[in-house]
Amino acid sequence: MLLYLQITMKDYKMRILIAILLFLLTLIALPYYIYNQKFQSSTILLGMSGPFSGGLNSVGNQFLMGANIYLSNLNEQGGVFGRKIQIIAKDDRYEPRLAIENVKELIEQDKVFALFGVIGTPVAEAVFPIAQEKRVPFVGAYTGAEFLRNPPNPIVLNARAGDMDEVEKLVSYYVNELHVKKIALFYQNDAYGRAGLKGVKSALERRNLALACEGSYKRNTLSVGNALYEIEQCHPEVILMIGSTMPVGEFIKRARKSEKIDRNVHFGLFSFVEPRELIDMVGEDGKGITFAQVVPSPWTADVDEVENYRQLMKKYHPTEALSYVSLEGFFAARMIAEVFKTLGPSFTKEEFIKQLASFSQSLDEKAVSKNRDERCKCLHRVHLSEYVDDDFFSVGKSNE
């Protein structure tokens, strides 16, 4: 009897051990099965978290509008190998906490294939770890954040040039071409602004210059008074501005009225500012403003893809104004659609991710593409323009 019990106990322990091993093997094998399973759905779902209400609502809504005009036209023509591409958009009001909730819902409940067009560096910084953990592609984010570029990450595909490219372009223009010496910086006091502050200081140091002074404001506020006071102290020739449209516009209006800041001071704005909206805000104070943008002019560029954007805006939103933001959304949607076209009708998520790195290289202006007519060569560049007599004109040396 005792021997029988011993054998039974050994058998029980063995069964437990086998069950544990099978469980562990399942945990190991499940992700492999999921990511290497052929995509079967007739609709490709993309998840977007953006500011569709609050002070930055125009950025979120315009980016989404630009993406949707491209996808609507694509879907009407049969989609990609018969599959439609659809964006599920959730409002985060430019608050990282809300964005985290949105992204979790998009991945776990909506089962999106990829995250698309996440707006802003603070939000991207908050949600990107979730994308990494779940191995969800992170495509076309509306941010030039360095952590999405260096080191390269296999799940990331950027449509735009990086923040450091914008910094270099603006600093080069003012220092090398206009021979300016005293540069101040107004910036958003978060990950986006602080990264820009570091980049501006580095760019100036490479030219044997130092930042004359700096001032910051809190995200999602118009509290620019303290920043103005700090910048007034150094009497700058140029004020670089890393922030969103409303606080940047508020600062410019106050600076133009300040007796301590030269009336002819130049303002250099980064691409998170929408030029038309900013000009509407500041009115006559719009003179002397240089805008850095990561897409060509939506009004005057003769690039075929931009002309297609203008035609589709007229078709789907005839009463809406053209903008840099909606054009970037259009390019981002076109870019991800082209990745799916490159893959063909049968693919896995891992095959999609593998394609991102090579596709990113093909977007570079100097890269040789076998399919140039399908891929925009105007991305990954910085374009400078100034507002003069109710229009925007390119400035600075060639963008080549």
Side-chain angles (χ1 to χ4, degrees):
M1 184 68 178
L2 182 60
L3 179 61
Y4 173 77
L5 289 174
Q6 288 176 339
I7 293 173
T8 303
M9 185 59 68
K10 288 181 180 179
D11 184 54
Y12 175 74
K13 289 180 178 179
M14 183 61 70
R15 289 181 181 181
I16 293 294
L17 180 60
I18 292 172
I20 292 173
L21 289 173
L22 287 173
F23 177 73
L24 292 175
L25 285 172
T26 301
L27 289 180
I28 295 171
L30 187 59
Y32 178 85
Y33 172 77
I34 292 173
Y35 295 121
N36 288 278
Q37 185 180 27
K38 294 294 184 181
F39 186 77
Q40 300 293 334
S41 177
S42 61
T43 302
I44 300 169
L45 297 178
L46 307 178
M48 178 181 175
S49 183
F52 303 114
S53 66
L56 276 178
N57 71 87
S58 64
V59 174
N61 287 310
Q62 287 180 43
F63 188 96
L64 181 60
M65 178 174 63
N68 275 334
I69 63 169
Y70 178 81
L71 295 179
S72 295
N73 186 63
L74 178 70
N75 292 337
E76 287 175 8
Q77 296 176 15
V80 179
F81 298 106
R83 291 189 177 99
K84 293 184 178 180
I85 303 178
Q86 177 185 337
I87 299 172
I88 300 177
K90 296 181 184 292
D91 184 19
D92 60 33
R93 302 202 296 272
Y94 196 40
E95 288 293 345
R97 174 183 56 82
L98 296 177
I100 289 173
E101 295 175 5
N102 288 346
V103 165
K104 287 180 178 178
E105 288 181 5
L106 288 166
I107 294 174
E108 296 169 6
Q109 298 178 23
D110 299 309
K111 307 296 183 184
V112 297
F113 183 89
L115 293 175
F116 170 81
V118 170
I119 304 289
T121 297
V123 169
E125 188 175 57
V127 304
F128 185 60
I130 302 172
Q132 285 185 296
E133 178 189 351
K134 302 294 185 180
R135 201 161 174 78
V136 175
F138 202 81
V139 179
Y142 187 80
T143 169
E146 194 69 7
F147 73 87
L148 293 177
R149 290 158 174 80
N150 294 303
N153 191 297
I155 69 169
V156 175
L157 178 60
N158 294 301
R160 57 161 43 215
D163 289 340
M164 296 307 104
D165 297 313
E166 293 189 51
V167 166
E168 181 63 24
K169 191 74 175 183
L170 280 167
V171 171
S172 176
Y173 173 62
Y174 286 119
V175 176
N176 298 352
E177 298 184 44
L178 301 189
H179 309 293
V180 169
K181 300 295 184 184
K182 295 183 68 175
I183 296 179
L185 178 67
F186 169 78
Y187 65 97
Q188 186 168 285
N189 192 6
D190 60 10
Y192 170 50
R194 290 190 292 272
L197 171 63
K198 182 178 179 181
V200 169
K201 287 182 175 179
S202 296
L204 289 172
E205 286 173 5
R206 290 194 295 272
R207 294 165 173 83
N208 297 315
L209 294 173
L211 190 63
C213 56
E214 63 186 74
S216 65
Y217 74 98
K218 185 178 179 181
R219 183 179 66 241
N220 281 337
T221 73
L222 297 179
S223 301
V224 302
N226 186 65
L228 178 62
Y229 172 80
E230 295 294 336
I231 290 175
E232 284 176 333
Q233 309 310 308
C234 71
H235 308 289
E237 299 170 86
V238 170
I239 304 173
L240 298 180
M241 312 190 76
I242 302 178
S244 56
T245 303
M246 296 291 285
V248 165
E250 179 68 17
F251 183 96
I252 291 174
K253 288 191 293 184
R254 294 195 193 185
R256 290 299 193 203
K257 296 176 182 178
S258 172
E259 296 180 356
K260 297 180 179 179
I261 292 181
D262 193 303
R263 180 67 185 173
N264 295 316
V265 68
H266 290 262
F267 296 97
L269 278 54
F270 289 76
S271 63
F272 206 52
V273 172
E274 172 54 39
R276 281 288 182 188
E277 186 178 348
L278 188 281
I279 292 299
D280 289 342
M281 280 188 63
V282 302
E284 295 180 355
D285 293 329
K287 185 178 179 181
I289 299 176
T290 300
F291 297 90
Q293 291 295 328
V294 295
V295 294
S297 167
W299 303 279
T300 60
D302 58 3
V303 180
D304 289 342
E305 290 91 336
V306 180
E307 177 55 33
N308 182 235
Y309 154 81
R310 289 193 284 258
Q311 292 174 358
L312 293 180
M313 280 292 290
K314 187 178 296 185
K315 175 182 177 180
Y316 293 105
H317 299 282
T319 62
E320 293 285 346
L322 305 180
S323 74
Y324 285 99
V325 179
S326 60
L327 177 57
E328 184 170 344
F330 171 88
F331 277 141
R334 181 185 178 101
M335 180 181 68
I336 195 170
E338 292 301 328
V339 179
F340 288 115
K341 290 180 183 179
T342 303
L343 285 170
S346 179
F347 59 90
T348 67
K349 182 164 286 188
E350 280 304 308
E351 287 170 340
F352 178 88
I353 290 173
K354 186 177 180 180
Q355 186 66 23
L356 296 184
S358 59
F359 197 89
S360 179
Q361 294 173 1
S362 76
L363 292 172
D364 186 77
E365 178 69 19
K366 297 178 182 179
V368 177
S369 172
K370 296 179 181 178
N371 200 17
R372 185 182 175 91
D373 61 326
E374 291 291 332
R375 299 177 186 174
C376 179
K377 291 288 181 176
C378 49
L379 303 180
H380 295 186
R381 299 172 63 187
V382 178
H383 311 258
L384 298 184
S385 64
E386 286 187 0
Y387 181 76
V388 181
D389 296 331
D390 201 33
D391 208 346
F392 294 90
F393 295 90
S394 295
V395 296
K397 293 181 179 178
S398 171
N399 286 310
E400 295 296 334

